[in-house]
Amino acid sequence: MYIFVGCLFMFYVSVSSFFYKKSHLLIMLMLLEFMSVSVLLMLLNYLCGFNCDFSILIYFIIILVCEAVMGLVLLTLFVRCHGSDYFQTSSIFLC
């Protein structure tokens, strides 16, 4: 029970930080990964509590890896087009 509450607190902190820290793309991607890891821990806690099949975790981890790779690709393209990952100095439509 305490693990679930801790994961829920981690998720809440990451979501609130995501909405307040919108200046750098890298910080936003790290907060998205933090949200995903907290959801993964909540799912693991739920599956352990009910003795369910753990194959859904493999699919969820695959989705997390694909999300991380796409985020890094977008970060690389954004830095190559604009020179930094700072949102305030660049417009999305310039690239």
Side-chain angles (χ1 to χ4, degrees), residues 42-67:
M42 283 191 281
L43 184 64
L44 181 66
N45 187 24
Y46 176 77
L47 291 176
C48 285
F50 291 111
N51 294 327
C52 295
D53 188 21
F54 290 104
S55 62
I56 189 79
L57 287 177
I58 304 284
Y59 296 122
F60 193 73
I61 290 172
I62 289 171
I63 290 171
L64 289 180
V65 169
C66 292
E67 174 201 358

PDB file of all heavy atoms in Angstrom, residues 42-67:
ATOM      1  N   MET A  42       3.527   1.614 -10.390  1.00  0.00           N
ATOM      2  CA  MET A  42       2.155   1.382  -9.922  1.00  0.00           C
ATOM      3  C   MET A  42       1.558   0.137 -10.557  1.00  0.00           C
ATOM      4  O   MET A  42       0.877  -0.651  -9.893  1.00  0.00           O
ATOM      5  CB  MET A  42       1.274   2.600 -10.232  1.00  0.00           C
ATOM      6  CG  MET A  42       1.471   3.750  -9.300  1.00  0.00           C
ATOM      7  SD  MET A  42       0.240   5.032  -9.479  1.00  0.00           S
ATOM      8  CE  MET A  42       0.821   5.897 -10.910  1.00  0.00           C
ATOM      9  N   LEU A  43       1.837  -0.069 -11.851  1.00  0.00           N
ATOM     10  CA  LEU A  43       1.349  -1.267 -12.530  1.00  0.00           C
ATOM     11  C   LEU A  43       1.989  -2.523 -11.956  1.00  0.00           C
ATOM     12  O   LEU A  43       1.308  -3.543 -11.752  1.00  0.00           O
ATOM     13  CB  LEU A  43       1.635  -1.166 -14.029  1.00  0.00           C
ATOM     14  CG  LEU A  43       1.131  -2.274 -14.922  1.00  0.00           C
ATOM     15  CD1 LEU A  43      -0.398  -2.327 -14.901  1.00  0.00           C
ATOM     16  CD2 LEU A  43       1.622  -2.062 -16.334  1.00  0.00           C
ATOM     17  N   LEU A  44       3.271  -2.458 -11.662  1.00  0.00           N
ATOM     18  CA  LEU A  44       3.954  -3.593 -11.046  1.00  0.00           C
ATOM     19  C   LEU A  44       3.389  -3.900  -9.670  1.00  0.00           C
ATOM     20  O   LEU A  44       3.165  -5.065  -9.327  1.00  0.00           O
ATOM     21  CB  LEU A  44       5.454  -3.311 -10.952  1.00  0.00           C
ATOM     22  CG  LEU A  44       6.322  -4.402 -10.346  1.00  0.00           C
ATOM     23  CD1 LEU A  44       6.314  -5.628 -11.232  1.00  0.00           C
ATOM     24  CD2 LEU A  44       7.719  -3.893 -10.137  1.00  0.00           C
ATOM     25  N   ASN A  45       3.117  -2.872  -8.896  1.00  0.00           N
ATOM     26  CA  ASN A  45       2.527  -3.055  -7.575  1.00  0.00           C
ATOM     27  C   ASN A  45       1.131  -3.668  -7.686  1.00  0.00           C
ATOM     28  O   ASN A  45       0.764  -4.553  -6.907  1.00  0.00           O
ATOM     29  CB  ASN A  45       2.477  -1.712  -6.846  1.00  0.00           C
ATOM     30  CG  ASN A  45       2.031  -1.844  -5.419  1.00  0.00           C
ATOM     31  OD1 ASN A  45       2.162  -2.903  -4.815  1.00  0.00           O
ATOM     32  ND2 ASN A  45       1.504  -0.772  -4.880  1.00  0.00           N
ATOM     33  N   TYR A  46       0.350  -3.213  -8.635  1.00  0.00           N
ATOM     34  CA  TYR A  46      -0.997  -3.743  -8.845  1.00  0.00           C
ATOM     35  C   TYR A  46      -0.958  -5.216  -9.259  1.00  0.00           C
ATOM     36  O   TYR A  46      -1.712  -6.038  -8.743  1.00  0.00           O
ATOM     37  CB  TYR A  46      -1.713  -2.909  -9.905  1.00  0.00           C
ATOM     38  CG  TYR A  46      -3.073  -3.413 -10.266  1.00  0.00           C
ATOM     39  CD1 TYR A  46      -4.155  -3.189  -9.431  1.00  0.00           C
ATOM     40  CD2 TYR A  46      -3.287  -4.124 -11.447  1.00  0.00           C
ATOM     41  CE1 TYR A  46      -5.413  -3.662  -9.761  1.00  0.00           C
ATOM     42  CE2 TYR A  46      -4.532  -4.591 -11.785  1.00  0.00           C
ATOM     43  CZ  TYR A  46      -5.596  -4.356 -10.931  1.00  0.00           C
ATOM     44  OH  TYR A  46      -6.834  -4.823 -11.265  1.00  0.00           O
ATOM     45  N   LEU A  47      -0.051  -5.551 -10.186  1.00  0.00           N
ATOM     46  CA  LEU A  47       0.037  -6.931 -10.657  1.00  0.00           C
ATOM     47  C   LEU A  47       0.553  -7.869  -9.579  1.00  0.00           C
ATOM     48  O   LEU A  47       0.140  -9.029  -9.507  1.00  0.00           O
ATOM     49  CB  LEU A  47       0.920  -7.011 -11.901  1.00  0.00           C
ATOM     50  CG  LEU A  47       0.340  -6.366 -13.159  1.00  0.00           C
ATOM     51  CD1 LEU A  47       1.345  -6.424 -14.287  1.00  0.00           C
ATOM     52  CD2 LEU A  47      -0.959  -7.019 -13.568  1.00  0.00           C
ATOM     53  N   CYS A  48       1.457  -7.387  -8.742  1.00  0.00           N
ATOM     54  CA  CYS A  48       1.944  -8.225  -7.638  1.00  0.00           C
ATOM     55  C   CYS A  48       0.862  -8.451  -6.591  1.00  0.00           C
ATOM     56  O   CYS A  48       0.802  -9.511  -5.968  1.00  0.00           O
ATOM     57  CB  CYS A  48       3.163  -7.586  -6.982  1.00  0.00           C
ATOM     58  SG  CYS A  48       4.660  -7.720  -7.942  1.00  0.00           S
ATOM     59  N   GLY A  49       0.014  -7.462  -6.389  1.00  0.00           N
ATOM     60  CA  GLY A  49      -1.036  -7.580  -5.383  1.00  0.00           C
ATOM     61  C   GLY A  49      -2.103  -8.598  -5.737  1.00  0.00           C
ATOM     62  O   GLY A  49      -2.698  -9.228  -4.863  1.00  0.00           O
ATOM     63  N   PHE A  50      -2.364  -8.767  -7.024  1.00  0.00           N
ATOM     64  CA  PHE A  50      -3.420  -9.678  -7.452  1.00  0.00           C
ATOM     65  C   PHE A  50      -2.896 -10.943  -8.130  1.00  0.00           C
ATOM     66  O   PHE A  50      -3.675 -11.698  -8.710  1.00  0.00           O
ATOM     67  CB  PHE A  50      -4.379  -8.958  -8.403  1.00  0.00           C
ATOM     68  CG  PHE A  50      -5.193  -7.907  -7.721  1.00  0.00           C
ATOM     69  CD1 PHE A  50      -4.967  -6.568  -7.995  1.00  0.00           C
ATOM     70  CD2 PHE A  50      -6.154  -8.244  -6.794  1.00  0.00           C
ATOM     71  CE1 PHE A  50      -5.712  -5.585  -7.370  1.00  0.00           C
ATOM     72  CE2 PHE A  50      -6.901  -7.273  -6.158  1.00  0.00           C
ATOM     73  CZ  PHE A  50      -6.678  -5.944  -6.443  1.00  0.00           C
ATOM     74  N   ASN A  51      -1.578 -11.167  -8.092  1.00  0.00           N
ATOM     75  CA  ASN A  51      -0.943 -12.347  -8.697  1.00  0.00           C
ATOM     76  C   ASN A  51      -1.358 -12.531 -10.149  1.00  0.00           C
ATOM     77  O   ASN A  51      -1.740 -13.614 -10.582  1.00  0.00           O
ATOM     78  CB  ASN A  51      -1.246 -13.606  -7.889  1.00  0.00           C
ATOM     79  CG  ASN A  51      -0.622 -13.570  -6.528  1.00  0.00           C
ATOM     80  OD1 ASN A  51       0.454 -12.993  -6.365  1.00  0.00           O
ATOM     81  ND2 ASN A  51      -1.278 -14.167  -5.552  1.00  0.00           N
ATOM     82  N   CYS A  52      -1.283 -11.458 -10.916  1.00  0.00           N
ATOM     83  CA  CYS A  52      -1.656 -11.497 -12.330  1.00  0.00           C
ATOM     84  C   CYS A  52      -0.438 -11.829 -13.198  1.00  0.00           C
ATOM     85  O   CYS A  52       0.683 -11.945 -12.720  1.00  0.00           O
ATOM     86  CB  CYS A  52      -2.236 -10.158 -12.756  1.00  0.00           C
ATOM     87  SG  CYS A  52      -3.780  -9.759 -11.955  1.00  0.00           S
ATOM     88  N   ASP A  53      -0.689 -11.937 -14.484  1.00  0.00           N
ATOM     89  CA  ASP A  53       0.361 -12.227 -15.449  1.00  0.00           C
ATOM     90  C   ASP A  53       1.201 -10.970 -15.677  1.00  0.00           C
ATOM     91  O   ASP A  53       0.678  -9.866 -15.813  1.00  0.00           O
ATOM     92  CB  ASP A  53      -0.274 -12.679 -16.767  1.00  0.00           C
ATOM     93  CG  ASP A  53       0.740 -13.170 -17.753  1.00  0.00           C
ATOM     94  OD1 ASP A  53       1.854 -13.543 -17.330  1.00  0.00           O
ATOM     95  OD2 ASP A  53       0.416 -13.202 -18.959  1.00  0.00           O
ATOM     96  N   PHE A  54       2.506 -11.131 -15.727  1.00  0.00           N
ATOM     97  CA  PHE A  54       3.418  -9.991 -15.862  1.00  0.00           C
ATOM     98  C   PHE A  54       3.789  -9.687 -17.308  1.00  0.00           C
ATOM     99  O   PHE A  54       4.659  -8.864 -17.557  1.00  0.00           O
ATOM    100  CB  PHE A  54       4.696 -10.243 -15.066  1.00  0.00           C
ATOM    101  CG  PHE A  54       4.482 -10.195 -13.587  1.00  0.00           C
ATOM    102  CD1 PHE A  54       4.438 -11.361 -12.847  1.00  0.00           C
ATOM    103  CD2 PHE A  54       4.321  -8.990 -12.947  1.00  0.00           C
ATOM    104  CE1 PHE A  54       4.233 -11.318 -11.487  1.00  0.00           C
ATOM    105  CE2 PHE A  54       4.129  -8.928 -11.582  1.00  0.00           C
ATOM    106  CZ  PHE A  54       4.080 -10.101 -10.848  1.00  0.00           C
ATOM    107  N   SER A  55       3.143 -10.327 -18.274  1.00  0.00           N
ATOM    108  CA  SER A  55       3.503 -10.078 -19.671  1.00  0.00           C
ATOM    109  C   SER A  55       3.117  -8.668 -20.120  1.00  0.00           C
ATOM    110  O   SER A  55       3.716  -8.130 -21.049  1.00  0.00           O
ATOM    111  CB  SER A  55       2.844 -11.103 -20.581  1.00  0.00           C
ATOM    112  OG  SER A  55       1.438 -11.003 -20.497  1.00  0.00           O
ATOM    113  N   ILE A  56       2.145  -8.060 -19.469  1.00  0.00           N
ATOM    114  CA  ILE A  56       1.768  -6.686 -19.814  1.00  0.00           C
ATOM    115  C   ILE A  56       2.905  -5.715 -19.506  1.00  0.00           C
ATOM    116  O   ILE A  56       3.043  -4.691 -20.178  1.00  0.00           O
ATOM    117  CB  ILE A  56       0.469  -6.284 -19.084  1.00  0.00           C
ATOM    118  CG1 ILE A  56      -0.074  -4.956 -19.597  1.00  0.00           C
ATOM    119  CG2 ILE A  56       0.680  -6.170 -17.600  1.00  0.00           C
ATOM    120  CD1 ILE A  56      -0.792  -5.052 -20.871  1.00  0.00           C
ATOM    121  N   LEU A  57       3.749  -6.062 -18.544  1.00  0.00           N
ATOM    122  CA  LEU A  57       4.893  -5.198 -18.222  1.00  0.00           C
ATOM    123  C   LEU A  57       5.884  -5.117 -19.372  1.00  0.00           C
ATOM    124  O   LEU A  57       6.469  -4.063 -19.615  1.00  0.00           O
ATOM    125  CB  LEU A  57       5.593  -5.684 -16.966  1.00  0.00           C
ATOM    126  CG  LEU A  57       4.866  -5.450 -15.652  1.00  0.00           C
ATOM    127  CD1 LEU A  57       5.650  -6.064 -14.514  1.00  0.00           C
ATOM    128  CD2 LEU A  57       4.636  -3.989 -15.420  1.00  0.00           C
ATOM    129  N   ILE A  58       6.067  -6.220 -20.078  1.00  0.00           N
ATOM    130  CA  ILE A  58       6.982  -6.228 -21.222  1.00  0.00           C
ATOM    131  C   ILE A  58       6.485  -5.258 -22.292  1.00  0.00           C
ATOM    132  O   ILE A  58       7.260  -4.472 -22.837  1.00  0.00           O
ATOM    133  CB  ILE A  58       7.111  -7.648 -21.805  1.00  0.00           C
ATOM    134  CG1 ILE A  58       7.553  -8.632 -20.749  1.00  0.00           C
ATOM    135  CG2 ILE A  58       8.020  -7.651 -23.028  1.00  0.00           C
ATOM    136  CD1 ILE A  58       8.991  -8.576 -20.370  1.00  0.00           C
ATOM    137  N   TYR A  59       5.187  -5.300 -22.575  1.00  0.00           N
ATOM    138  CA  TYR A  59       4.617  -4.398 -23.574  1.00  0.00           C
ATOM    139  C   TYR A  59       4.718  -2.944 -23.129  1.00  0.00           C
ATOM    140  O   TYR A  59       5.014  -2.058 -23.938  1.00  0.00           O
ATOM    141  CB  TYR A  59       3.154  -4.751 -23.850  1.00  0.00           C
ATOM    142  CG  TYR A  59       2.980  -6.115 -24.454  1.00  0.00           C
ATOM    143  CD1 TYR A  59       2.190  -7.056 -23.831  1.00  0.00           C
ATOM    144  CD2 TYR A  59       3.606  -6.463 -25.642  1.00  0.00           C
ATOM    145  CE1 TYR A  59       2.025  -8.313 -24.373  1.00  0.00           C
ATOM    146  CE2 TYR A  59       3.457  -7.713 -26.197  1.00  0.00           C
ATOM    147  CZ  TYR A  59       2.659  -8.634 -25.556  1.00  0.00           C
ATOM    148  OH  TYR A  59       2.500  -9.874 -26.094  1.00  0.00           O
ATOM    149  N   PHE A  60       4.488  -2.705 -21.862  1.00  0.00           N
ATOM    150  CA  PHE A  60       4.581  -1.342 -21.347  1.00  0.00           C
ATOM    151  C   PHE A  60       6.014  -0.826 -21.403  1.00  0.00           C
ATOM    152  O   PHE A  60       6.241   0.342 -21.743  1.00  0.00           O
ATOM    153  CB  PHE A  60       4.033  -1.284 -19.915  1.00  0.00           C
ATOM    154  CG  PHE A  60       3.791   0.095 -19.418  1.00  0.00           C
ATOM    155  CD1 PHE A  60       2.721   0.832 -19.884  1.00  0.00           C
ATOM    156  CD2 PHE A  60       4.637   0.671 -18.493  1.00  0.00           C
ATOM    157  CE1 PHE A  60       2.489   2.112 -19.437  1.00  0.00           C
ATOM    158  CE2 PHE A  60       4.418   1.954 -18.035  1.00  0.00           C
ATOM    159  CZ  PHE A  60       3.342   2.676 -18.518  1.00  0.00           C
ATOM    160  N   ILE A  61       6.987  -1.663 -21.099  1.00  0.00           N
ATOM    161  CA  ILE A  61       8.392  -1.256 -21.172  1.00  0.00           C
ATOM    162  C   ILE A  61       8.797  -0.984 -22.620  1.00  0.00           C
ATOM    163  O   ILE A  61       9.549  -0.039 -22.899  1.00  0.00           O
ATOM    164  CB  ILE A  61       9.293  -2.319 -20.512  1.00  0.00           C
ATOM    165  CG1 ILE A  61       9.057  -2.312 -19.003  1.00  0.00           C
ATOM    166  CG2 ILE A  61      10.760  -2.066 -20.819  1.00  0.00           C
ATOM    167  CD1 ILE A  61       9.745  -3.424 -18.270  1.00  0.00           C
ATOM    168  N   ILE A  62       8.276  -1.759 -23.559  1.00  0.00           N
ATOM    169  CA  ILE A  62       8.551  -1.507 -24.984  1.00  0.00           C
ATOM    170  C   ILE A  62       8.002  -0.154 -25.397  1.00  0.00           C
ATOM    171  O   ILE A  62       8.664   0.623 -26.107  1.00  0.00           O
ATOM    172  CB  ILE A  62       7.972  -2.649 -25.846  1.00  0.00           C
ATOM    173  CG1 ILE A  62       8.790  -3.917 -25.641  1.00  0.00           C
ATOM    174  CG2 ILE A  62       7.954  -2.266 -27.324  1.00  0.00           C
ATOM    175  CD1 ILE A  62       8.184  -5.143 -26.266  1.00  0.00           C
ATOM    176  N   ILE A  63       6.801   0.182 -24.937  1.00  0.00           N
ATOM    177  CA  ILE A  63       6.219   1.485 -25.252  1.00  0.00           C
ATOM    178  C   ILE A  63       7.046   2.606 -24.624  1.00  0.00           C
ATOM    179  O   ILE A  63       7.266   3.654 -25.245  1.00  0.00           O
ATOM    180  CB  ILE A  63       4.749   1.532 -24.792  1.00  0.00           C
ATOM    181  CG1 ILE A  63       3.911   0.618 -25.674  1.00  0.00           C
ATOM    182  CG2 ILE A  63       4.200   2.945 -24.809  1.00  0.00           C
ATOM    183  CD1 ILE A  63       2.506   0.414 -25.201  1.00  0.00           C
ATOM    184  N   LEU A  64       7.546   2.385 -23.404  1.00  0.00           N
ATOM    185  CA  LEU A  64       8.379   3.390 -22.752  1.00  0.00           C
ATOM    186  C   LEU A  64       9.677   3.635 -23.522  1.00  0.00           C
ATOM    187  O   LEU A  64      10.117   4.777 -23.663  1.00  0.00           O
ATOM    188  CB  LEU A  64       8.714   2.971 -21.325  1.00  0.00           C
ATOM    189  CG  LEU A  64       7.595   2.994 -20.308  1.00  0.00           C
ATOM    190  CD1 LEU A  64       8.123   2.542 -18.949  1.00  0.00           C
ATOM    191  CD2 LEU A  64       6.994   4.355 -20.212  1.00  0.00           C
ATOM    192  N   VAL A  65      10.275   2.580 -24.008  1.00  0.00           N
ATOM    193  CA  VAL A  65      11.524   2.723 -24.768  1.00  0.00           C
ATOM    194  C   VAL A  65      11.270   3.457 -26.077  1.00  0.00           C
ATOM    195  O   VAL A  65      12.046   4.346 -26.467  1.00  0.00           O
ATOM    196  CB  VAL A  65      12.167   1.341 -25.007  1.00  0.00           C
ATOM    197  CG1 VAL A  65      13.292   1.417 -26.000  1.00  0.00           C
ATOM    198  CG2 VAL A  65      12.652   0.764 -23.695  1.00  0.00           C
ATOM    199  N   CYS A  66      10.178   3.123 -26.755  1.00  0.00           N
ATOM    200  CA  CYS A  66       9.846   3.823 -28.000  1.00  0.00           C
ATOM    201  C   CYS A  66       9.571   5.300 -27.751  1.00  0.00           C
ATOM    202  O   CYS A  66       9.973   6.160 -28.545  1.00  0.00           O
ATOM    203  CB  CYS A  66       8.642   3.173 -28.672  1.00  0.00           C
ATOM    204  SG  CYS A  66       8.959   1.531 -29.294  1.00  0.00           S
ATOM    205  N   GLU A  67       8.912   5.618 -26.649  1.00  0.00           N
ATOM    206  CA  GLU A  67       8.662   7.016 -26.294  1.00  0.00           C
ATOM    207  C   GLU A  67       9.968   7.749 -26.034  1.00  0.00           C
ATOM    208  O   GLU A  67      10.150   8.894 -26.478  1.00  0.00           O
ATOM    209  CB  GLU A  67       7.775   7.082 -25.058  1.00  0.00           C
ATOM    210  CG  GLU A  67       7.574   8.467 -24.534  1.00  0.00           C
ATOM    211  CD  GLU A  67       7.150   8.483 -23.082  1.00  0.00           C
ATOM    212  OE1 GLU A  67       6.971   7.413 -22.481  1.00  0.00           O
ATOM    213  OE2 GLU A  67       7.042   9.607 -22.566  1.00  0.00           O
TER     214      GLU A  67
END
